[in-house]
Amino acid sequence: MDDESLLRWSLRERLTKEGYDVLEAGTAAEAYDQLRGDIDLVLLDFKLPDGNGIDILRRVKEQSADVLVILMTAFSTVENAVEAMKLGAYHYVNKPFNLDEVVILVEKALETSQLRREVRALRTSQGREFGLDSIVGTSPTMQQVKSLLARIAASPASTVLLTGETGTGKDLAAKAVHYNSDRAAKPFVNITASALPEQLLESELFGHERGAFTDARQQKRGLFETADGGTVFLDEIGEMTPGLQAKLLRFLEEKTFKRVGGLADIRVDVRVVAATNRNLEEEVKEGRFREDLFYRLQVMPVTLPPLRERRGDVPLLASFFIDRFNREFRKRVRGLSPSAQALLEGYQWPGNIRELRNAIERAMLLIDRDRLEPEDFTTLTRTVNPTQFKLPAEGVNLEEVERQLLLQALERAGGNQTQAAQLLGINRDQVRYRIEKFGLSKA
Ligand SMILES: Nc1ncnc2c1ncn2[C@@H]1O[C@H](COP(=O)(O)OP(=O)(O)O)[C@@H](O)[C@H]1O
Ligand SMILES: [Mg+2]
């Protein structure tokens, strides 16, 4: 046995005793034969009879970036080590080495890889949750939005501007872009521009050096650094102060930034997704938002339509949320009654999908019937035009108003009680009850 095989033998003995499954290869060719999907870690000699460790390292990493490689070298030159680390080696050890040292290193490395795998599994499961399919809607505008988001996700780094009223799904769209892109396994971080004062927001975004300001006792990495390789979601970008707008613009143009109190330019690769419920064009005209930043963001604009402009999606969204809350509350609600559906379709939804979700959640918490009726949505007041329904100076007889409205609804519905009920936002039983009450059944 030569030195090399003796070394391999003692490593194998020791690692097997520690409970690891060990494969052995004496040459590069043997190593290639044994590379399989379930290898967690490779202990690699730098000098092999038929090749060098760097080539094998490169090949291993090509096959699976998750495999950890520890390089063993007798004559550790700095260049080799640097190159190995660049190619993704986990560590290197100098020969001759102490077996205990190697065992500890292997243990630590495998802990890291276990952790990495858990993080990745978590991210892919979130990917499923936040995929484009999680954006419900078949109206033409939503189909356009979804295909636009899919194209953006597939393009490597383009900046995105999401606009839309509150509750239209901007957060959801930002996540869909991230989790459908090849950045999915990297971080998605989000921050709301209006949530923090300028100085804090700047240090959250860009980090700070020790001593940059009174409370900066430690150096801190910002979100742009944390998110390297991933996506930064900047919500409520319209509220950003002019100073920060300038810094963001610089980052978007040069991909570099400085930490607060720092001199060095730091370069990261992140996609910025910005969102606002303001009309940025107006903000620019009013001088509150930088025009150059606006145009820089405007490269890929996506507008999420308000729900009232795609009422056709209401039933689909409603049943999506009913399914979700059935699971969450262990209920068996089958759906909306026709009059409840009419009520929801006719409503203005100033809070958009968030308001719809909340309305269904509230309704489902309380009921034990298997259909949702209009009276389960009492908090949704139909928007009433106060000039049309103006209380006259002398007052009214409310019963008479009710009777008149019932008559009008029945007349417009051609006597169809279900349709009349829809017009009034109540159910058919309630229409019948009133017909009886007002003695209209003969009419
Ligand atoms: N198209 C959609 N399909 C399913 N759920 C949606 C959709 N759009 C929004 N939601 C849900 O509505 C709520 C509000 O959406 P969010 O993305 O936070 O809106 P915004 O950020 O525009 O205020 C969230 O619970 C979100 O999951
Ligand atoms: Mg939001």
Side-chain angles (χ1 to χ4, degrees):
M1 242 199 277
D2 58 29
D3 277 4
E4 293 300 321
S5 33
L6 189 64
L7 180 72
R8 270 208 321 280
W9 178 83
S10 57
L11 271 171
R12 172 187 200 129
E13 282 293 286
R14 179 64 194 274
L15 288 169
T16 309
K17 216 189 287 159
E18 299 286 336
Y20 300 109
D21 287 330
V22 185
L23 298 171
E24 232 180 289
T27 62
E30 275 174 48
Y32 291 145
D33 277 348
Q34 302 209 40
L35 278 182
R36 305 185 314 220
D38 60 350
I39 292 177
D40 294 314
L41 183 139
V42 178
L43 277 163
L44 187 59
D45 206 322
F46 192 80
K47 254 180 82 179
L48 295 160
D50 57 343
N52 79 48
I54 293 286
D55 295 329
I56 301 188
L57 170 60
R58 196 175 279 131
R59 178 116 157 220
V60 167
K61 284 282 163 184
E62 266 167 29
Q63 276 196 5
S64 162
D66 274 349
V67 179
L68 298 158
V69 178
I70 296 175
L71 222 54
M72 305 177 291
T73 104
F75 46 93
S76 128
T77 65
V78 177
E79 297 89 83
N80 285 342
V82 168
E83 189 177 1
M85 299 314 262
K86 265 196 205 147
L87 285 172
Y90 174 76
H91 228 289
Y92 66 94
V93 286
N94 293 324
K95 290 201 295 190
F97 47 73
N98 169 326
L99 269 184
D100 288 332
E101 204 183 306
V102 174
V103 168
I104 288 170
L105 198 55
V106 165
E107 227 169 68
K108 261 179 65 188
L110 288 174
E111 263 171 34
T112 314
S113 87
Q114 175 67 21
L115 217 79
R116 269 194 214 162
R117 222 164 270 160
E118 280 165 16
V119 168
R120 176 140 333 158
L122 195 75
R123 291 215 174 108
T124 24
S125 74
Q126 287 187 330
R128 232 168 284 134
E129 188 178 342
F130 298 118
L132 281 165
D133 292 340
S134 72
I135 302 181
V136 177
T138 52
S139 58
T141 40
M142 276 318 280
Q143 285 181 15
Q144 276 169 19
V145 165
K146 283 200 268 185
S147 84
L148 187 56
L149 291 174
R151 268 180 286 144
I152 290 171
S155 82
S158 49
T159 303
V160 187
L161 177 63
L162 301 169
T163 54
E165 294 175 10
T166 176
T168 49
K170 297 185 294 297
D171 277 65
L172 199 63
K175 287 190 184 123
V177 165
H178 174 74
Y179 287 108
N180 284 283
S181 73
D182 55 12
R183 297 170 177 272
K186 294 288 174 65
F188 173 88
V189 300
N190 85 52
I191 188 158
T192 303
S194 60
L196 296 170
E198 174 169 15
Q199 191 193 37
L200 269 182
L201 181 61
E202 179 176 0
S203 104
E204 277 302 309
L205 287 174
F206 300 118
H208 60 245
E209 298 295 343
R210 202 176 147 195
F213 44 89
T214 327
D215 290 333
R217 285 185 204 93
Q218 303 282 332
Q219 184 205 64
K220 195 183 104 177
R221 284 156 40 101
L223 290 182
F224 278 104
E225 273 175 89
T226 321
D228 196 7
T231 305
V232 172
F233 176 41
L234 296 176
D235 206 357
E236 297 183 23
I237 186 105
E239 329 278 313
M240 216 178 225
T241 55
L244 276 182
Q245 289 177 29
K247 288 182 173 139
L248 177 62
L249 179 67
R250 173 170 183 250
F251 173 74
L252 291 175
E253 289 186 332
E254 294 164 26
K255 301 283 168 227
T256 65
F257 62 90
K258 291 179 170 55
R259 294 197 188 115
V260 179
L263 296 172
D265 281 326
I266 298 171
R267 174 170 297 271
V268 293
D269 164 32
V270 303
R271 185 210 292 271
V272 172
V273 177
T276 180
N277 54 18
R278 294 197 180 179
N279 180 340
L280 278 194
E281 226 163 341
E282 277 305 308
E283 300 292 304
V284 169
K285 273 193 208 130
E286 302 286 324
R288 283 190 295 261
F289 201 81
R290 288 182 71 112
E291 192 172 16
D292 44 10
L293 178 57
F294 172 66
Y295 285 115
R296 190 66 192 67
L297 292 171
Q298 188 67 2
V299 178
M300 277 290 185
V302 181
T303 304
L304 291 141
L307 187 53
R308 65 183 168 282
E309 285 173 18
R310 50 178 185 111
R311 292 175 197 269
D313 283 340
V314 167
L316 199 63
L317 280 160
S319 70
F320 172 79
F321 290 124
I322 289 171
D323 280 353
R324 176 187 296 180
F325 293 117
N326 269 336
R327 259 177 281 129
E328 212 164 290
F329 304 152
R330 297 173 195 288
K331 297 220 170 176
R332 288 159 176 259
V333 174
R334 286 191 298 131
L336 300 168
S337 74
S339 47
Q341 179 168 329
L343 169 68
L344 298 193
E345 279 177 321
Y347 184 63
Q348 278 292 316
W349 300 113
N352 294 293
I353 302 168
R354 180 177 294 113
E355 187 181 6
L356 174 61
R357 186 201 63 191
N358 292 347
I360 289 182
E361 180 177 18
R362 211 179 306 114
M364 284 180 62
L365 261 175
L366 299 174
I367 71 158
D368 38 23
R369 277 175 277 106
D370 69 351
R371 263 180 202 288
L372 295 170
E373 296 288 349
E375 64 260 34
D376 298 320
F377 297 99
T378 44
T379 46
L380 301 184
T381 38
R382 266 202 177 153
T383 31
V384 166
N385 180 344
T387 48
Q388 200 179 346
F389 287 92
K390 208 169 175 63
L391 184 65
E394 68 279 15
V396 291
N397 176 340
L398 196 56
E399 288 267 299
E400 180 57 20
V401 173
E402 192 179 333
R403 197 180 73 93
Q404 283 296 337
L405 288 174
L406 179 67
L407 273 171
Q408 289 181 36
L410 282 167
E411 196 181 327
R412 198 180 305 167
N416 181 321
Q417 295 178 3
T418 307
Q419 276 176 29
Q422 289 175 6
L423 286 169
L424 297 168
I426 56 180
N427 66 35
R428 205 172 126 215
D429 289 339
Q430 292 169 315
V431 168
R432 281 218 190 105
Y433 165 78
R434 283 170 178 74
I435 289 174
E436 288 299 315
K437 180 170 90 168
F438 297 123
L440 302 172
S441 45
K442 287 132 231 138

